[in-house]
Each structure stands twice: as structure tokens, then as C-alpha cells.
Amino acid sequence: MSTHDAAPEAMETAGAEAPVRFDTKIAVLLREDLETWQRLNVTAFLVSGLGSQFPEVVGEPYEDADAVGYLPMFRQPVLVFEGTKETLTTAHARVLSRALPRALFTSDLFATGNDRDNRAAVRAVATADLDLVGLAVYGPKNAVDKVLKGARMHR
């Protein structure tokens, strides 16, 4: 990642060799009992909406030495955490109380096969009764850290 991919306020210091520091964080919290394919699928779904809602998280397009172009990607890392069902429930309450941008994935979504049915499955369940298997959050680093307190980095 080059420094031109970062917003000016995200850089710690100016200069070509200065490390890029972001004042925001993109994080995904997964329930620890998911199968590997579920973890990958849930993570991909959870972060998929960020670029459309927050275009500043997306960097510039890529190009290889032969001038073949590639899609732009997030300009900052996506940190993946894991925790128990209770950890997810607590993180969900925290993210709602802080009104941070979030995405969720419930166990019901493994049984649906399209976007319309996914939304209907979430809409059918009260907030307190959601069977969360994944949660994504974006916002200021300190606020995201508070939401994820008690979770551990995914291994």
C-alpha cells in the first residue's frame, strides 16, 4: 500500500517512507464455532457493503507491469476477530449503542440463497433474538476497539 492510498488525516507523518496510520478500523467478529467455509463466506458478505456506503475506505485501482488493470480494494486492513455467541451478542449491543456502521450475518442466512430472502430472514427476527454468527463494524479505532472488547484475533 502506498501513502497516496490513504486520506491525508490517516497519515501519521508526511513523506514517501512514513508508515501509514489509519484513524479508522474495519473489523469483523466471527462466532468461533463456524466451519472454515462459513468463516470465509461470512467475512466476504459482511465487508461487501462498506465500499458503497463509505467510498473513502477504497483505494485506487491496481495495475501490473504489463498495464493489466485490477479492481481497487480497501485501503486499510480488515481485522478479523472471533468469539463466543455471548461475545457477539455483547458486541452487537455495543455497536448499536454507539451507532457505528455495522453489518450482520445470522445463522438463518446459511439456509437462504439470495439477497431478498436474506433480508427477509433478518427482518423476521427481533433484534434481541438474532442468532448472530458474524458482525462487521467500521469507525474510529477507539470506538471499534470498545465494541470488540473481549474478542480475540482470529487464528
Side-chain angles (χ1 to χ4, degrees):
M1 177 180 324
S2 65
T3 55
H4 77 275
D5 290 336
E9 68 276 3
M11 288 192 267
E12 183 177 73
T13 57
E17 295 191 31
V20 176
R21 302 280 187 236
F22 297 98
D23 56 0
T24 58
K25 184 179 273 189
I26 300 170
V28 172
L29 174 57
L30 302 171
R31 202 164 75 193
E32 64 187 2
D33 61 348
L34 296 179
E35 299 288 330
T36 300
W37 73 267
Q38 292 172 317
R39 290 172 185 250
L40 296 169
N41 185 268
V42 170
T43 300
F45 267 92
L46 287 172
V47 298
S48 67
L50 275 176
S52 65
Q53 294 298 307
F54 302 96
E56 69 273 13
V57 302
V58 179
E60 297 295 322
Y62 287 76
E63 184 177 283
D64 65 23
D66 295 321
V68 175
Y70 302 93
L71 294 172
M73 297 185 284
F74 291 137
R75 65 182 179 93
Q76 65 190 89
V78 175
L79 302 173
V80 182
F81 295 81
E82 64 182 354
T84 64
K85 182 175 183 170
E86 294 76 22
T87 303
L88 270 156
T89 300
T90 300
H92 185 240
R94 289 176 182 154
V95 79
L96 294 177
S97 72
R98 287 171 172 78
L100 292 172
R102 69 257 170 200
L104 73 129
F105 200 102
T106 67
S107 63
D108 296 330
L109 302 186
F110 290 125
T112 61
N114 62 74
D115 190 46
R116 184 196 60 207
D117 291 342
N118 286 350
R119 286 193 313 281
V122 172
R123 190 177 313 110
V125 180
T127 304
D129 298 327
L130 292 168
D131 185 16
L132 298 169
V133 298
L135 182 68
V137 60
Y138 170 70
K141 285 171 74 170
N142 62 343
V144 173
D145 289 343
K146 289 177 182 175
V147 166
L148 298 174
K149 186 177 179 184
R152 62 189 176 275
M153 288 296 290
H154 186 273
R155 43 191 156 99

